[in-house]
Amino acid sequence: MATIGLDSLYYSKITENASGEETYATPVKLAKAIEAEVSVELNEAILYADDGTDTVIKEFKSGSITLGVNDIGTDAAKDLTGASVDRNGVLVSTGEDTPVPVAIGFRAKTANGKYRYFWIYRVLFGIPGTSLKTKGDSVEFQTPSIEGTISRRNKLDGQDRHPWKAEVTEGETGVTAGTLTNWFQSVYEPNYTAAAGGNG
């Protein structure tokens, strides 16, 4: 289903235990969303046998996400890029800044009026891009963008796999209202347990 809108852009700070497993903080609104572009790179291997293709394997390697937003506030910039805020409230970026990964959540409106919801589990952002331009005969909005690298998370899900994205569309079979209502209250955790009385 084609999408015609984008809103509800959130991020969640990640803390890691000694083995690198992620714990997600309560999501915080990042900014008003203008654009989100996600691209994925795959590891691909092809085994040839008897003069033809025998086996093809494609698996997630990494990805990138570019967010266009109306503004990146001081708190979000600090959390996403590792910059610091001095005693005068000035955001200071240094060559020694070390960004930490965060989870990113948002939703996109589809052509039928329902929403598709997303969580990207582990994103490491770089320095936000800035585009400035003098005012001419007509008004042109200049808005910031920030680009991050997506990787799979270290924490295993219920199938002993490392998820990198969760995605659900409103109105699809099996999607509960509670899942959508709580989507931005906490980072979604995959649930593979069978429902009571179900076949699983």
Side-chain angles (χ1 to χ4, degrees), residues 30-100:
L30 198 164
K32 290 184 178 179
I34 296 173
E35 182 179 17
E37 182 179 335
V38 177
S39 59
V40 174
E41 186 176 347
L42 300 176
N43 280 325
E44 182 175 348
I46 303 174
L47 174 66
Y48 295 95
D50 285 344
D51 294 332
T53 303
D54 181 67
T55 306
V56 178
I57 294 177
K58 293 186 178 188
E59 57 185 31
F60 176 80
K61 179 180 180 183
S62 66
S64 66
I65 181 169
T66 302
L67 299 175
V69 295
N70 69 323
D71 187 29
I72 298 175
T74 301
D75 288 340
K78 182 176 68 169
D79 290 342
L80 270 55
T81 69
S84 56
V85 178
D86 74 5
R87 60 186 259 173
N88 297 314
V90 176
L91 182 72
V92 180
S93 298
T94 71
E96 292 75 26
D97 290 345
T98 305
V100 293

Side-chain angles (χ1 to χ4, degrees), residues 14-16 20-24 60 63 65 100-104 119-125 148-155 163-165 187:
I14 292 175
T15 55
E16 299 179 9
E21 291 187 349
E22 296 87 354
T23 301
Y24 299 100
F60 176 80
I65 181 169
V100 293
V102 296
I104 294 292
W119 272 110
I120 310 287
Y121 283 114
R122 190 177 177 95
V123 181
L124 189 64
F125 282 103
T149 300
I150 301 169
S151 57
R152 68 180 198 174
R153 76 177 189 182
N154 298 317
K155 183 180 178 182
W164 68 273
K165 178 180 76 167
V187 176

